[in-house]
């Protein structure tokens, strides 16, 4: 799979092209190009390091939204085994923007739910670009309840631009579907681990995000509003989205400093889309560690800690 | 216009009219014509006449006060301040404000947020967008949170989330019901992700309150949207809406832009919500206190109001 480069990756791509060209030329020729190749390779390494080590928030958002980024079902396939997808909210339909089911993490049984985006236009229509309807959130809580019932820790993979703001979604009470999950997830007597794998779009993300551990992939983001939406309000122009991305403090590092996320999961160099298997392995290792930690905690302590985790978030004066 | 009408712009006891004014204001015919308003504007006490945003009728302040700030022509419910709500609902002499000292900080160092909060504090005389306290409604012991749309669109940041949470926790500790009157544009952008987390925090507090078998009544007033709708506002054991108020997850403009569809008539109105099974009741403002009292007295346990064991 050829990876579509992002705008800021252009210097890297240029060097890679140069390198490919010079290698092509060296094939079947006598003259010595090794030193040239080595020079370019060194420059490439340096450029990669300098580009990827100081990514701006806006650049990270480009990575988080990259169409070739691993999605929920990619992680399920590559990090988990024996996935059995279960469908439907038992009332109105099956939301393909929010798949879920049973799986195993090594030998540990788990329930996995999450937002699923589409790789192309056709799949995106099916998956509604990862924007779930009320039925998605209701299916998710139904599956999570089975996690509680069958003693299977819950893994929630978050990747949504937001819950769907459509007519049907409003009519079927999208707000209540999210609110209900917020309340009920607080009471589920089983470990819950939420991972923001791409976009953590506001209430639509939190709707499956009340958890004992909240983790985030290195280039994912989690925000109250999209940078574009914020820019439209604050600067009256969406083109200021990069500034808004900065101001909203939505990167993994910012969120970690604020105590919103518990751990940042490292991604392969350049972002998870460069290496799905590597990203999935990275996620698996961190999630597995947290699952086994949480399983040692008695349920009443687990629930108290989950309550306090959210209870303590917020900054104000006059306490 | 020579008469000196002393009509307080603020709330007057029991939605009544000032004593000094009762003799002057006899009815609509005695009121100055609208035409004359332009010329003599300077002599007018501010805010004596109001245009109904729904039907356009020009209504006198005294009329509004007598009718709980509801339009006499079309029953449009004007926005109430949080203090007006308390006066409307809570048994006289029983209200005690809680957590009134909490104030916002600027956790993200967000552009002009500190000034914004200061401005709204000066403009409204409020510290924040929610007023919380305890008291009783028709004798039923409750804690109450009233959002005030005038303060930054009633948006929920850390302080609003904290005050609502504390009001719920206090109710759980003292075996009280909870009533929250929502009026909000949603989560407060200026506090970023911390605002989002208030949704989880308040909903969590409601989970514990509910486990203690205590009742929560959510009253939706105009307008209630976004993060407030997607957390405590839709979690009521009983959900009540004021007539014609606008309730939604996304605002109508966003829905229209996203779907490129025309919105159905009455979309996101209280009546639409009732028809779709999303709220229990639509209650006129004048009946609100009594209805809340009835419901709480049905739902509250016998030992309500005494500290939980």
């Amino acid at each position: 799979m050829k990876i579509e480069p992002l705008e800021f990756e252009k210097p890297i791509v240029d060097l890679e092209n140069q390198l490919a060209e010079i290698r092509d030329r060296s094939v079947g020729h006598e003259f010595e190009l090794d030193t040239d190749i080595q020079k370019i390779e060194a420059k490439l390494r340096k450029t990669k390091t300098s580009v990827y080590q100081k990514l701006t928030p806006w650049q990270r958002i480009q990575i988080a939204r990259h169409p070739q980024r691993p999605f929920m079902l990619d992680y399920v396939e590559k990090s988990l085994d024996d996935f059995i997808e279960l469908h439907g909210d038992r009332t109105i339909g099956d939301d393909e923007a929010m798949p879920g089911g049973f799986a195993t993490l090594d030998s540990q049984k788990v329930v996995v739910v999450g937002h699923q985006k589409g790789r192309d236009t056709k799949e995106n229509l099916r998956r509604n670009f990862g924007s779930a309807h009320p039925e998605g959130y209701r299916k998710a809580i139904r599956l999570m309840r089975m996690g509680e019932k069958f003693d299977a820790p819950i893994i929630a993979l978050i990747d949504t631009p937001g819950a769907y703001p459509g007519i049907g979604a409003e009519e079927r009470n999208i707000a209540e579907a999210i609110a209900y999950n917020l309340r009920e997830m607080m009471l589920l007597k089983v470990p819950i681990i939420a991972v923001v794998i791409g976009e953590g779009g506001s209430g639509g993300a939190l709707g499956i995000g009340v958890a004992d551990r909240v983790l985030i992939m290195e280039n994912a983001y989690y925000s109250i509003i999209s940078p574009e939406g914020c820019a439209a309000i604050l600067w009256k122009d969406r083109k200021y989205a990069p500034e808004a991305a900065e101001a909203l403090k939505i990167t993994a590092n910012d969120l970690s400093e604020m105590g919103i996320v518990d751990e940042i999961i490292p991604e392969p160099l350049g972002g998870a889309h460069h290496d799905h298997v590597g990203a999935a392995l990275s996620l698996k290792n961190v999630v597995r560690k947290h699952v086994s930690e949480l399983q040692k905690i008695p349920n009443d302590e687990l629930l108290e800690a989950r309550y306090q985790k959210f209870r303590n978030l917020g900054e104000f004066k006059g306490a | 216009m020579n008469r000196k009408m002393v009509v307080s712009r603020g709330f007057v006891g029991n939605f009544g009219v000032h004593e000094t004014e009762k003799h002057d204001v006899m009815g609509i015919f005695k009121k100055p014509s609208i035409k004359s308003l332009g010329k003599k504007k300077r002599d007018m006490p501010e805010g004596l006449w109001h245009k109904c945003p729904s039907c356009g009728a020009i209504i006198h302040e005294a009329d509004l006060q007598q009718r709980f700030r509801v339009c006499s022509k079309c029953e449009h419910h004007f926005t109430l301040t949080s203090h007006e709500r308390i006066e409307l609902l809570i048994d006289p002499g029983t209200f005690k404000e809680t957590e009134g000292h909490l104030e916002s900080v600027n956790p993200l160092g967000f552009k002009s947020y500190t000034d914004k909060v200061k401005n709204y504090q000066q403009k409204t005389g409020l510290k924040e967008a929610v007023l919380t306290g305890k008291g009783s409604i028709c004798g039923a012991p409750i804690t109450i949170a009233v959002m005030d749309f005038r303060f930054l669109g009633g948006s929920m940041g850390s302080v609003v989330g904290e005050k609502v949470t504390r009001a719920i926790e206090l109710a759980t500790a003292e075996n009280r019901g909870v009533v929250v009157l929502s009026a909000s544009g949603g989560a407060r952008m200026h506090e970023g992700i911390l605002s989002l987390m208030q949704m989880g925090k308040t909903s969590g507090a409601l989970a514990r309150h509910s486990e203690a078998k205590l009742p929560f009544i959510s009253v939706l007033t105009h307008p209630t949207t976004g993060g407030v709708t997607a957390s405590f506002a839709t979690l009521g054991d009983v959900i009540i809406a004021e007539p014609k108020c606008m309730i939604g997850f996304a605002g109508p403009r966003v829905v229209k832009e996203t779907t490129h569809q025309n919105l159905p008539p009455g979309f996101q109105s209280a009546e639409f919500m009732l028809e779709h099974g999303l709220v229990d009741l639509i209650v006129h403002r004048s009946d609100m206190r009594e209805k809340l009292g009835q419901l709480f007295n049905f739902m509250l346990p016998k030992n309500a109001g005494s500290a939980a064991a």
Side-chain angles (χ1 to χ4, degrees), chain A:
Chain A
M1 181 173 69
K2 193 185 175 311
I3 290 171
E4 283 301 320
L6 294 162
E7 184 63 34
F8 62 88
E9 290 178 304
K10 209 166 166 294
I12 296 169
V13 175
D14 288 347
L15 284 170
E16 279 173 344
N17 289 344
Q18 262 183 50
L19 196 61
E21 202 178 306
I22 205 163
R23 276 191 176 132
D24 267 2
R25 259 191 288 157
S26 73
V27 175
H29 289 283
E30 293 297 307
F31 39 77
E32 195 52 62
L33 290 170
D34 281 3
T35 46
D36 287 3
I37 289 175
Q38 276 166 12
K39 255 192 230 163
I40 297 172
E41 276 176 345
K43 201 172 169 198
L44 182 60
R45 273 195 300 274
K46 231 173 116 185
T47 310
K48 273 188 177 177
T49 316
S50 72
V51 169
Y52 292 135
Q53 272 186 353
K54 46 182 186 199
L55 290 170
T56 65
W58 182 242
Q59 288 169 341
R60 287 192 194 275
I61 287 169
Q62 305 309 305
I63 296 177
R65 291 173 176 170
H66 198 289
Q68 286 163 305
R69 193 168 169 84
F71 297 145
M72 183 263 184
L73 289 173
D74 297 307
Y75 285 108
V76 169
E77 188 197 314
K78 294 182 175 68
S79 307
L80 306 175
D81 296 304
D82 313 316
F83 179 54
I84 306 172
E85 186 173 352
L86 301 169
H87 296 272
D89 72 339
R90 295 289 188 270
T91 303
I92 187 148
D94 183 43
D95 191 341
E96 294 194 81
M98 182 84 84
F102 299 150
T104 56
L105 172 66
D106 291 337
S107 58
Q108 172 63 52
K109 60 182 182 182
V110 295
V111 162
V112 60
V113 297
H115 310 97
Q116 174 68 27
K117 293 179 177 176
R119 193 70 67 197
D120 52 36
T121 310
K122 198 175 153 206
E123 201 197 349
N124 258 324
L125 289 176
R126 227 178 99 201
R127 305 286 186 190
N128 202 29
F129 299 84
S131 281
H133 280 74
E135 345 9 316
Y137 292 93
R138 292 184 180 128
K139 171 169 68 176
I141 195 71
R142 179 175 80 81
L143 300 181
M144 288 192 267
R145 280 199 194 296
M146 286 203 281
E148 181 183 51
K149 183 172 175 183
F150 302 118
D151 215 9
I154 295 157
I155 299 170
L157 302 176
I158 296 168
D159 188 12
T160 181
Y164 190 62
I167 294 170
E170 294 279 345
E171 285 175 339
R172 300 193 294 277
N173 219 354
I174 182 74
E176 189 268 352
I178 291 170
Y180 183 83
N181 285 12
L182 302 185
R183 187 180 67 192
E184 297 305 309
M185 287 181 82
M186 199 59 92
L187 300 173
L188 289 176
K189 295 183 189 72
V190 63
I192 309 175
I193 291 167
V195 192
V196 186
I197 56 171
E199 294 189 271
S202 201
L206 188 65
I208 56 167
V210 174
D212 303 299
R213 295 281 192 276
V214 179
L215 315 174
I216 189 166
M217 297 299 289
E218 190 184 336
N219 293 306
Y221 78 97
Y222 195 1
S223 180
I224 183 69
I225 186 170
S226 72
E228 289 89 344
C230 175
I233 294 171
L234 216 59
W235 285 276
K236 314 276 173 230
D237 193 337
R238 295 168 81 87
K239 77 167 189 247
Y240 292 100
E243 283 81 352
E246 198 97 30
L248 285 166
K249 301 232 177 7
I250 57 184
T251 65
N253 279 326
D254 289 327
L255 297 164
S256 173
E257 274 169 33
M258 284 191 278
I260 304 292
V261 301
D262 299 290
E263 187 168 345
I264 299 169
I265 302 174
E267 292 184 23
L269 188 67
H273 59 288
H274 286 278
D275 178 6
H276 284 201
V277 175
L281 191 67
S282 187
L283 176 130
K284 182 179 182 171
N285 285 334
V286 178
V287 169
R288 188 172 43 198
K289 179 187 78 184
H290 286 288
V291 168
S292 46
E293 276 175 24
L294 291 169
Q295 281 187 307
K296 295 192 189 100
I297 304 172
N299 272 336
D300 52 343
E301 281 175 41
L302 189 74
L303 292 196
E304 177 61 20
R306 190 185 301 158
Y307 184 80
Q308 293 303 336
K309 180 181 174 62
F310 286 85
R311 178 67 189 85
N312 295 329
L313 291 174
E315 286 185 34
F316 46 84
K317 62 184 173 191

Side-chain angles (χ1 to χ4, degrees), chain B residues 115-136:
Chain B
D115 293 340
K116 206 163 219 150
V117 169
K118 241 181 242 158
N119 286 344
Y120 278 100
Q121 284 179 335
Q122 278 163 10
K123 221 162 83 182
T124 61
L126 303 166
K127 281 232 164 64
E128 252 299 329
V130 72
L131 176 68
T132 57
K134 63 176 175 179
S136 62

Side-chain angles (χ1 to χ4, degrees), chain B residues 3-247:
Chain B
R3 289 174 304 166
K4 284 198 176 139
M5 290 190 186
V6 186
V7 180
S8 148
R9 201 176 178 209
F11 230 45
V12 183
N14 295 323
F15 289 85
V17 179
H18 255 291
E19 286 302 312
T20 48
E21 171 201 25
K22 269 186 182 160
H23 310 287
D24 288 338
V25 183
M26 300 300 289
I28 192 111
F29 303 108
K30 290 260 175 93
K31 285 169 198 159
S33 71
I34 295 150
K35 238 187 216 168
S36 67
L37 283 178
K39 275 183 262 170
K40 303 222 172 173
K41 213 173 178 179
R42 280 167 183 219
D43 303 323
M44 288 278 296
E46 216 187 303
L48 204 51
W49 292 95
H50 303 277
K51 187 175 177 183
C52 173
S54 179
C55 70
I58 305 293
I59 316 160
H60 196 262
E61 170 67 23
D63 273 2
L64 271 184
Q65 286 188 7
Q66 270 165 341
R67 302 196 78 246
F68 311 95
R69 305 202 81 78
V70 173
C71 173
S72 50
K73 297 279 180 336
C74 73
E75 299 298 323
H76 170 81
H77 285 49
F78 280 72
T79 305
L80 290 187
T81 69
S82 41
H83 288 97
E84 287 170 335
R85 293 273 181 199
I86 296 292
E87 196 172 333
L88 173 69
L89 297 175
I90 301 292
D91 298 341
T94 68
F95 182 71
K96 269 205 196 86
E97 189 181 349
T98 53
E99 320 300 346
H101 52 289
L102 295 193
E103 281 184 76
S104 287
V105 293
N106 189 355
L108 305 188
F110 206 86
K111 186 185 152 205
S112 67
Y113 177 46
T114 307
D115 293 340
K116 206 163 219 150
V117 169
K118 241 181 242 158
N119 286 344
Y120 278 100
Q121 284 179 335
Q122 278 163 10
K123 221 162 83 182
T124 61
L126 303 166
K127 281 232 164 64
E128 252 299 329
V130 72
L131 176 68
T132 57
K134 63 176 175 179
S136 62
I137 296 176
C138 302
I142 48 93
T143 64
I144 184 167
V146 188
M147 306 191 78
D148 201 312
F149 196 76
R150 295 173 304 157
F151 196 102
L152 245 169
S155 58
M156 173 162 66
S158 296
V159 171
V160 170
E162 183 70 20
K163 287 178 82 171
V164 170
T165 301
R166 288 190 191 183
I168 298 163
E169 286 178 336
L170 179 65
T172 311
E174 295 186 359
N175 258 317
R176 290 168 177 268
V178 173
V179 56
V180 180
L181 286 93
S182 296
S184 175
R188 190 173 294 173
M189 180 180 76
H190 315 74
E191 291 184 32
I193 195 80
L194 290 173
S195 298
L196 187 71
M197 295 302 143
Q198 304 311 309
M199 294 166 62
K201 180 161 125 183
T202 50
S203 303
L206 282 173
R208 293 193 159 188
H209 183 257
S210 184
E211 279 206 315
K213 297 198 167 193
L214 293 164
F216 166 43
I217 300 179
S218 170
V219 179
L220 308 172
T221 74
H222 185 78
T224 302
T225 59
V228 166
T229 320
S231 59
F232 54 83
T234 45
L235 290 176
D237 294 302
V238 174
I239 303 176
I240 297 175
E242 280 199 328
K244 294 182 184 166
C245 74
M246 184 267 176
I247 309 154

